Amino acid sequence: MAAEGSNADWMASLSPALCALPLSNLAIPGSHDSFSYWVDEKSPVGPDQVAAVKRLSKISLVRKLMKKWSVTQNLTFKEQLEGGIRYFDLRVSSKPGEAGQEIYFIHGLFGIRVWDGLMEINTFLTQHPKEVVFLDFNHFYAMDNNHHVYLISRIQEVFGSRLCMKECVEHVTLQSIWEKQQQVLIFYHHPLYEGYPFLWPGKTMPAPWANTTNVHKLLQFLETTLGERAKDGTFHVSQAILTPRVKTIARHLIRGLKNTLVHRNLPLILNWVKLQKPGVMGVNIITSDFVELVDFAATVIALNDFLLEENKS
């Protein structure tokens, strides 16, 4: 990635013409399973796993190997934010059997407390008042209504007046957000969003998933789903990620996700990104695994120059 922190204020330094465009038309870098830079191999396996994996995971070696497939990022929230990442893909869970309502990030194994992650993001936003983040809570495990109410109250407690109220997607520009001194859009893929003005419905953040280990199939899928993107009313996530099958994991157990799928295919994925254009039917948010392995964030941010050229002409 470019020099440390060089993308920390990229939104603040966009030209006024771009700040007046809907955020759904800009190119915005995001990370997949954003929180998975730290997972706890000592904790029990998460409720997002199938029964067979839960049984196997009683062996500590299995949990060590699971970690190699559960971790999809190396950078902390702070480091991702400094590198320019502005969209975060979040999966959360309670710990079955634990007293209280505490909620944790989860991807196979448990990560840090959601509260700690949100605090870290909030600290960055305090220091960078013109940067705007998208927090996409899209998978919930082992959570009843009480857990949801607890989590939502924590979100409110951390971000307070920084939370953007839901409105027509096309009305949301950097300019309009700055005027209200807001910085955080929360997407909540659960019916409870209806009761809170600061929770955006999950359907406004579609993120079609290719579910393939084949990079050519992935790129074809990204093209097709971009072509089918709704003209208005939603943001759009292009998940530029490959997903291991059970047999991929079995065959490359020791090597892990990064060495098996990511390293080899990232250059092809990045080439696809470089050919994209943002705009009404163009790319919007693009997510990747291990965002620091290539110049991912800077490449996505640079796509916004196309919009400037269009504006001039």
Side-chain angles (χ1 to χ4, degrees):
M1 197 173 267
E4 182 61 37
S6 61
N7 292 322
D9 290 292
W10 72 264
M11 287 177 157
S13 38
L14 284 178
S15 82
L18 294 181
C19 299
L21 289 177
L23 275 172
S24 54
N25 290 6
L26 297 184
I28 296 167
S31 55
H32 168 241
D33 281 321
S34 310
F35 50 85
S36 65
Y37 55 85
W38 186 85
V39 291
D40 183 4
E41 61 192 71
K42 295 187 175 66
S43 78
V45 134
D48 60 340
Q49 294 299 300
V50 295
V53 172
K54 287 180 185 164
R55 283 198 298 276
L56 275 173
S57 71
K58 294 191 168 68
I59 308 162
S60 72
L61 174 67
V62 170
R63 288 203 300 278
K64 275 198 169 65
L65 293 172
M66 269 189 78
K67 183 172 178 173
K68 290 193 170 197
W69 290 92
S70 293
V71 169
T72 63
Q73 302 299 336
N74 289 326
L75 303 182
T76 64
F77 283 133
K78 177 177 186 275
E79 291 165 335
Q80 290 182 50
L81 285 159
E82 287 171 349
I85 299 298
R86 294 293 175 268
Y87 165 92
F88 295 89
D89 162 34
L90 306 175
R91 297 143 199 242
V92 300
S93 177
S94 72
K95 274 191 187 170
E98 184 180 87
Q101 312 289 329
E102 200 57 73
I103 306 295
Y104 299 83
F105 294 117
I106 188 164
H107 188 220
L109 297 164
F110 283 100
I112 61 172
R113 294 188 312 169
V114 172
W115 169 258
D116 296 325
L118 299 183
M119 289 295 281
E120 190 176 337
I121 292 168
N122 194 56
T123 299
F124 173 87
L125 294 174
T126 307
Q127 294 158 355
H128 304 270
K130 285 192 154 180
E131 299 307 294
V132 173
V133 297
F134 299 78
L135 304 185
D136 190 3
F137 288 87
N138 51 49
H139 286 72
F140 302 98
Y141 300 96
M143 286 175 62
D144 59 23
N145 267 14
N146 291 338
H147 290 114
H148 280 286
V149 169
Y150 172 83
L151 173 58
I152 294 165
S153 69
R154 297 301 252 179
I155 290 169
Q156 208 170 358
E157 195 180 329
V158 174
F159 297 120
S161 62
R162 289 203 164 99
L163 292 165
C164 297
M165 301 300 142
K166 56 191 163 205
E167 59 173 316
C168 169
V169 168
E170 282 65 46
H171 293 167
V172 187
T173 66
L174 282 173
Q175 203 53 58
S176 73
I177 288 180
W178 292 342
E179 281 163 14
K180 299 177 200 147
Q181 295 184 321
Q182 296 170 345
Q183 290 178 278
V184 186
L185 287 87
I186 304 280
F187 298 84
Y188 209 81
H189 297 241
H190 186 278
L192 271 174
Y193 82 84
E194 289 181 351
Y196 300 86
F198 58 87
L199 295 183
W200 293 64
K203 66 174 188 285
T204 56
M205 186 58 84
W209 174 43
N211 193 13
T212 180
T213 55
N214 180 312
V215 70
H216 302 290
K217 282 187 182 158
L218 167 66
L219 300 181
Q220 185 57 59
F221 177 85
L222 291 172
E223 287 292 334
T224 305
T225 48
L226 257 186
E228 295 163 351
R229 180 182 169 184
K231 275 201 164 54
D232 50 34
T234 74
F235 297 93
H236 181 85
V237 182
S238 298
Q239 295 200 66
I241 57 161
L242 293 165
T243 305
R245 304 234 183 292
V246 172
K247 69 172 188 226
T248 321
I249 297 176
R251 209 176 282 155
H252 305 282
L253 199 53
I254 310 295
R255 292 181 69 199
L257 176 70
K258 186 161 69 170
N259 297 328
T260 306
L261 281 182
V262 180
H263 260 308
R264 191 178 70 225
N265 293 301
L266 258 184
L268 282 171
I269 291 172
L270 201 70
N271 282 343
W272 177 84
V273 172
K274 285 174 181 165
L275 297 171
Q276 300 313 301
K277 288 194 171 158
V280 176
M281 290 298 283
V283 288
N284 177 204
I285 292 160
I286 308 178
T287 61
S288 171
D289 288 325
F290 300 108
V291 290
E292 80 294 341
L293 291 183
V294 288
D295 225 355
F296 173 73
T299 304
V300 176
I301 295 164
L303 297 178
N304 291 305
D305 295 343
F306 285 120
L307 292 171
L308 268 186
E309 285 160 27
E310 274 172 24
N311 260 17
K312 279 180 197 145
S313 58

